[in-house]
Amino acid sequence: MAILIFFLAHWYLSLFSQTFFLHRYAAHQMFTMSKNWEKFFYWFTFVTQGSSFLSPKAYGIMHRLHHAYADTDKDPHSPSYSDNLFQMMWKTKDYYNAVLNDRAGIEPKFLKGVPYYEIVEKLGDKWFVRIAWGVLYTLFYMKFATHAWEYALLPIHYLMGPVHGVIINWFAHKYGYINFKVNDTAKNLLPFDFLMMGESYHNNHHKLGGRANFGIKWHEFDPTYPIILLLNSLHIIKLKLNNDLNYM
């Protein structure tokens, strides 16, 4: 039971950091927040993503490029230009590192307003830090695992961010249903998104790239959106009035 709770907590906390902070804030700027709160969520992302920490700067830039060039040869992670999901993940990793280290020659329009907090960006990308997180996950399993099969979950902990990414970037461009006709292969992966906190409504998002609520139809519940509304009501963030701005 302890292993299952730990796995689910890591899955959903890491995913929340990705969809709330990296995706909806860093990439799309659907809402604003003070610099102090931005630093808080930087640290929150570092802790919840752990060994698979993704730079808000690099993620924000890459996702903007994904919207601008979806399913073309300029898309950082299109299944249309990879033979399998592992090849796409490897290409994404290489491009991510190029963006992170300012070697990708990104146009200035994709850099506007992307958050950057140097201490967390540098710390989160160090290999000894990633390995230290992995060791902590392993020690937790050694202490609380009661069956050998539970150790099969450990690699997901190590690569949680890329696992979340490939579910959307590969599967949600190949399988699912469509609400809107768009100029790419984005689909809604799940009718009720219990797994990806709204991220699987990918077709909706590609049509309405700046809309904070990824759900459209009555059954499309976006679990992240009520949290956004709560944080907005608490004045931790401020939702933008024009919620249709996008990078399409």
Side-chain angles (χ1 to χ4, degrees):
M1 182 60 72
I3 294 298
L4 180 60
I5 292 171
F6 178 61
F7 181 82
L8 290 175
H10 189 197
W11 180 276
Y12 285 107
L13 287 171
S14 174
L15 182 58
F16 175 76
S17 291
Q18 185 167 326
T19 188
F20 170 78
F21 191 60
L22 277 66
H23 188 182
R24 306 188 204 208
Y25 177 70
H28 288 286
Q29 299 179 331
M30 297 172 180
F31 44 84
T32 59
M33 64 178 70
S34 70
K35 283 298 178 184
N36 284 335
W37 278 114
E38 184 178 283
K39 289 178 179 179
F40 170 84
F41 284 111
Y42 248 101
W43 284 111
F44 184 85
T45 300
F46 171 69
V47 171
T48 56
Q49 291 194 327
S51 60
S52 64
F53 172 78
L54 295 171
S55 155
K57 168 196 166 184
Y59 183 101
I61 293 168
M62 285 184 65
H63 190 72
R64 293 176 182 188
L65 290 166
H66 171 64
H67 274 266
Y69 304 117
D71 289 321
T72 71
D73 58 357
K74 293 184 178 181
D75 188 337
H77 44 66
S78 172
S80 301
Y81 290 85
S82 296
D83 295 331
N84 55 66
L85 61 87
F86 298 106
Q87 184 185 72
M88 188 192 75
M89 289 175 75
W90 192 261
K91 288 169 64 176
T92 303
K93 183 268 299 181
D94 286 344
Y95 197 85
Y96 170 88
N97 285 328
V99 172
L100 184 66
N101 295 291
D102 300 317
R103 299 193 307 264
I106 305 298
E107 295 178 62
K109 67 180 180 179
F110 295 112
L111 307 176
K112 185 178 179 181
V114 175
Y116 184 73
Y117 185 20
E118 184 175 12
I119 186 172
V120 183
E121 290 270 354
K122 300 293 186 183
L123 185 65
D125 193 53
K126 291 186 181 298
W127 275 108
F128 78 86
V129 174
R130 296 189 187 278
I131 291 170
W133 280 113
V135 169
L136 287 175
Y137 304 152
T138 304
L139 289 174
F140 185 91
Y141 270 64
M142 291 173 65
K143 174 69 175 178
F144 293 104
T146 55
H147 300 88
W149 66 264
E150 293 173 333
Y151 284 91
L153 297 173
L154 265 175
I156 301 177
H157 287 284
Y158 302 152
L159 298 171
M160 188 71 78
V163 168
H164 289 153
V166 80
I167 289 173
I168 303 304
N169 297 329
W170 181 268
F171 292 101
H173 277 266
K174 285 184 169 290
Y175 310 105
Y177 66 96
I178 293 172
N179 285 338
F180 302 100
K181 182 175 177 57
V182 292
N183 296 322
D184 54 68
T185 60
K187 297 174 176 62
N188 295 327
L189 190 59
L190 297 170
F192 176 68
D193 191 6
F194 65 93
L195 183 66
M196 297 300 296
M197 296 193 73
E199 287 288 308
S200 78
Y201 300 134
H202 204 49
N203 173 256
N204 296 350
H205 176 57
H206 270 236
K207 178 64 177 179
L208 302 167
R211 190 173 189 267
N213 184 359
F214 288 1
I216 298 292
K217 292 188 174 180
W218 67 268
H219 58 80
E220 294 173 348
F221 174 62
D222 175 0
T224 305
Y225 187 58
I227 302 174
I228 289 173
L229 292 179
L230 175 61
L231 294 175
N232 184 65
S233 69
L234 294 173
H235 306 292
I236 293 172
I237 65 171
K238 184 177 181 180
L239 268 168
K240 291 185 175 180
L241 293 177
N242 180 6
N243 214 221
D244 293 322
L245 181 66
N246 60 60
Y247 289 90
M248 295 178 65

